[in-house]
Each structure stands twice: as C-alpha cells, then as structure tokens.
C-alpha cells in the first residue's frame, strides 16, 4: 500500500472539493485559536484552465495533513485555504487578489500559472505588503514583466520556476539532434509570455542567432487567433523547418490544423505552454504525435515531497487513480507551493506578515519539484530556479499519447526515458 492509499479515503472527490476548500484544516479543537489564512489564485476556467485543472485535487489530497494545524512559534494553529479563480484574466486575477488581501485578510498568498495570473496577484501583494509565493511562469516575464530592478528586486514576492535561458537550452538541445537547415519560425503572442519569449535580448532571438539559427518572427498576434495564414506563408517562404513559440492550447490547435491544410510540414515543432497537457494533445488527434515541449515535472523526476513523503511517481499515480485523468505537469508545482508554504510557516518567528515573509526568504528545502532556495539558487534574491528537461509526445500503452523525456542535458539528474 503506497503512502497515498493510506489516506486516500479522506481525499475529497473533485465534485465536492470546491465547497470544502475554504474550510480546509478547520476542526473544533481550534475554535478559539487564531486562524492562518492562505489564499491561492490560479486559472480554473478560461483558455488557461488546463494549468489549474489539478489544483482542487491537490488541495483536497492534503486535507489530512492540514487537519492537525501547523505549529507556528510554539502554537498549533488551524489553516484555512481559500482558492480563487483568475478566469485566465489579468483583471480578474487582480480583483480576486485584492478580495483575498483586503476582505479575507489572508496571511500568505500562493499563486500559479502564467503571467496573466501570477503577475497581477504578485503586484497586489507587493503593494499591500502581503507575503507571496508564485510559480509556473518563467522568471523573466514574472520579474521584468513586473518592473523588477536587479539591484533592489522585490520585498514581499518570491518566485520558483525556471527561466527562458533554460527553455532555450532545452529546445535547441533537441533541435541539434535532428538534421535541419536551422531555420526557425517563431509564434509569439501579444501577452506576458509571448513578449518575453520574443524579446530581442531577453528571449529567443539573440541566443538563436549566436547558435547559428535564423529566426522568422512575424510579430505579435492576439490570443484566440482564428487565422495563422500569414505566419504559415512567411514560414514557407523562408524555408522554415523548425517551429517554436509559446501558445495557448486553442491557438496551437488552430495553427497546427491550418498548417496541415496549407501543406506546411516542418521537421520539428517545439511549443511551450500549449503542448504541456494531455487534454490538449488528445484534442489534436494525429497532429499531436511527435510534438515536443518543455518538461518542468514528471513521474520520473527523482524528488519527494517533504510534506507527505510521496515521490513524484506516487503523486502522479494517486492523481490518476482518484481523478481518472492522465497526470499533468502542474500537479507537482501546485503541491510544491504548499510544501514551501508549510515549511516557511513552521519556521516563522510569529504570525505577522513580516515574519512569514522573512521565513520565505530564508527557505532552503528539497521539494517534489526539486530544491527551492531563495538568495542562492537564482539570478536575483526573489527567484529560485527549478530544473527543466525536454519531452516528446509519443503513442502510448496506457494513454493515447504519453510524454517521455528525450533530452536531459540541461538537468542530468532527471533521467531520460525516450529518444
């Protein structure tokens, strides 16, 4: 019996999870105790919903661990987690963040998934002096996209994820293993990710040129674009054999479908964001076979949870057993947010926001997504980098398509299981 099965009966089914989340960790023994409130914002609906698909399950799966409360400065205190939906909208993300901060009076904010959610929430926390831990955004669009200054950084907001330098290294490592003319077509939308990935200095153009790749960048397009004919025509004209970019899933499906219809057949397609999720690949049908993408977390990552003791493989297995869905990458980072939060709260000198913030800043912990350490594992004191490898979708045995790791040159501690 694995660690999950020991408490699996206590895990809430997803249908009832939403109602139970706001009361998570509250039991009668704590009736007179101060309650620790943790806000969590992620895209539960809208075009980015795949990023937040597993959040309710992750929170529910930790219910048993939270029942006993958390000991802070010698006192056992109940914990309440309040999940809010950003609806994939920056404006909505800012609104729910302010509700959590000003109405719910949270002690700590957690936020995940793309600049459209993480940046407005982080900004609200910085403005209102609330400690915040964010993830699932490359650090450049999170840091520079919010006006971060290398000399001063931020006071209240801390981030854990990889950077564009890591995704560029992984993508190009994969491309170099294939015989191509090194001509790359870029698909960069007019959003936080697209503007960062396509930036002449921070993004893909400069390092690609230095490695001998030529880039055809047709400019920024609007998300939910219905016509990629102009991009496809430009790629065909320039003889592009590699296509890359950072697209939302609906746009990737539109582009790939139209590329096939218009006879554009590149040798390699490596897209960030859009190809991360099993549901998005299944929706592509035969177009999904052989596509490549970044892998931030998988069952093969050799890490364990400090909170539950479960391995990455066990956590994926638990999710598939309970949800009846294929594992998905955000599971690990959603879980890791709570690992880091609990670790910081336990080390906090008291329950004040400055004390919690200081505990976060002093974090050094080995989580289910790898080591997290601020002030020593990233380019700036507010950024802790996590490892990244390259994956490819192939026809599977258990699932229609399965994601395998095909290149680990950028993070050798994570094993490959495909070519």
């Amino acid at each position: 019996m694995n660690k999950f099965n020991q408490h699996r009966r206590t895990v809430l089914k997803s249908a009832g999870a939403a109602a139970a989340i706001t009361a998570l960790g509250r039991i009668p023994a704590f009736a007179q105790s101060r309650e620790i409130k943790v806000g969590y914002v992620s895209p539960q609906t809208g075009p980015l919903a795949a990023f937040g698909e597993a959040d309710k399950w992750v929170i529910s799966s930790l219910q048993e661990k939270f029942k006993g409360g958390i000991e802070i400065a010698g006192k056992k205190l109940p914990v309440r987690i309040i999940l809010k939906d950003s609806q994939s909208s920056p404006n909505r993300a800012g609104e729910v963040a302010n509700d959590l901060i000003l109405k719910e009076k949270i002690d700590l904010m957690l936020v995940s998934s793309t600049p459209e959610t993480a940046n407005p929430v982080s900004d609200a926390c910085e403005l209102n002096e609330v400690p915040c831990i964010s993830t699932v955004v490359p650090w450049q669009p999170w840091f520079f996209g919010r006006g971060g200054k290398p000399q001063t950084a931020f006071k209240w907001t801390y981030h854990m994820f990889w950077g564009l330098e890591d995704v560029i290294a992984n993508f190009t490592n994969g491309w170099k293993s294939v015989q191509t003319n090194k001509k790359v077509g870029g698909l960069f939308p007019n959003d936080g990710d697209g503007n960062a990935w396509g930036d002449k200095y921070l993004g893909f153009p400069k390092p690609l040129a230095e490695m001998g790749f030529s880039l055809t960048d047709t400019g920024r397009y609007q998300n939910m674009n219905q016509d990629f004919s102009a991009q496809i025509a430009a790629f065909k004209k320039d003889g592009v054999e590699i296509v890359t970019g950072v697209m939302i899933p609906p746009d990737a499906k539109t582009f790939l479908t139209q590329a096939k219809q218009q006879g554009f057949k590149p040798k390699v397609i490596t897209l960030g964001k859009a190809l991360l999720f099993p549901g998005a690949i299944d929706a592509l049908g035969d177009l999904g076979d052989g596509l490549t993408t970044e892998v931030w977390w998988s069952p093969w990552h050799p890490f364990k949870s400090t909170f539950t003791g479960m391995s990455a493989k066990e956590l994926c297995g638990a999710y598939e057993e309970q949800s009846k869905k294929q594992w998905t990458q955000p599971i690990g980072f959603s879980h890791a947010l709570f690992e880091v939060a609990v670790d910081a709260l336990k080390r906090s000198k008291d329950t004040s926001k400055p004390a919690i913030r200081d505990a976060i800043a002093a974090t050094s912990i080995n989580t289910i997504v790898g080591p997290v350490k601020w002030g020593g594992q990233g380019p700036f004191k507010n950024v802790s980098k996590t490892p990244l490898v390259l994956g490819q979708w192939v026809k599977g045995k258990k699932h229609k398509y399965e994601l395998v790791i095909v290149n680990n040159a950028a993070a050798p501690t994570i094993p490959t299981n495909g070519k």
Side-chain angles (χ1 to χ4, degrees), residues 180-235:
T180 71
N181 60 8
K182 287 195 163 187
K183 292 184 177 181
V184 182
L187 294 165
F188 306 120
N190 185 24
D191 63 14
D193 276 328
N195 290 324
W197 288 48
D199 186 274
K200 288 183 179 180
Y201 304 105
L202 296 176
F204 274 67
K206 188 171 184 283
L208 289 191
E210 290 171 349
M211 285 185 267
F213 291 93
S214 63
L215 177 67
T216 297
D217 182 355
T218 58
R220 306 298 156 259
Y221 65 87
Q222 296 304 313
N223 283 317
M224 301 303 291
N225 186 28
Q226 299 302 309
D227 186 4
F228 285 95
S229 297
Q231 289 87 346
I232 293 167
F235 295 166

Side-chain angles (χ1 to χ4, degrees), residues 131-178:
C132 174
I133 307 168
S134 55
T135 192
V136 188
V137 183
W139 68 259
Q140 286 93 338
W142 178 85
F143 188 86
F144 293 116
R146 298 176 51 223
K149 306 294 182 187
Q151 298 81 5
T152 56
F154 299 105
K155 293 182 178 179
W156 293 90
T157 50
Y158 289 79
H159 191 67
M160 46 186 259
F161 210 51
W162 42 265
L164 295 182
E165 70 279 16
D166 303 304
V167 80
I168 292 167
N170 276 282
F171 283 15
T172 53
N173 285 341
W175 301 343
K176 289 172 185 175
S177 70
V178 182

Side-chain angles (χ1 to χ4, degrees), residues 165-167 169-171 173 387-390 407-414:
E165 70 279 16
D166 303 304
V167 80
N170 276 282
F171 283 15
N173 285 341
L388 189 69
V389 290
L390 184 70
N407 192 297
N408 68 345
T413 57
I414 299 163

Side-chain angles (χ1 to χ4, degrees), residues 117-138:
T117 291
N119 287 15
V121 173
S122 297
D123 285 344
C125 290
E126 192 73 24
L127 179 65
N128 290 283
E129 300 186 345
V130 173
C132 174
I133 307 168
S134 55
T135 192
V136 188
V137 183

Side-chain angles (χ1 to χ4, degrees), residues 260-271:
K260 183 179 181 181
Q261 291 169 347
Q262 296 174 33
F264 175 53
K265 298 178 181 179
K267 289 184 178 180
V268 183
I269 299 175
T270 310
L271 296 175

Side-chain angles (χ1 to χ4, degrees), residues 344-371:
L345 288 169
K346 285 181 176 179
R347 289 184 291 101
S348 182
K349 292 180 179 179
D350 55 53
T351 58
S352 69
K353 290 180 176 64
I356 295 172
R357 185 268 317 273
D358 292 346
I360 292 170
T363 293
S364 181
I365 182 176
N366 293 316
T367 74
I368 203 160
V369 300

Side-chain angles (χ1 to χ4, degrees), residues 239-271:
V240 163
E241 291 186 348
I242 302 167
V243 171
T244 194
V246 55
M247 312 181 81
I248 60 175
D251 285 346
K253 183 176 183 180
T254 301
F255 169 79
L256 292 167
T257 301
Q258 292 177 357
K260 183 179 181 181
Q261 291 169 347
Q262 296 174 33
F264 175 53
K265 298 178 181 179
K267 289 184 178 180
V268 183
I269 299 175
T270 310
L271 296 175

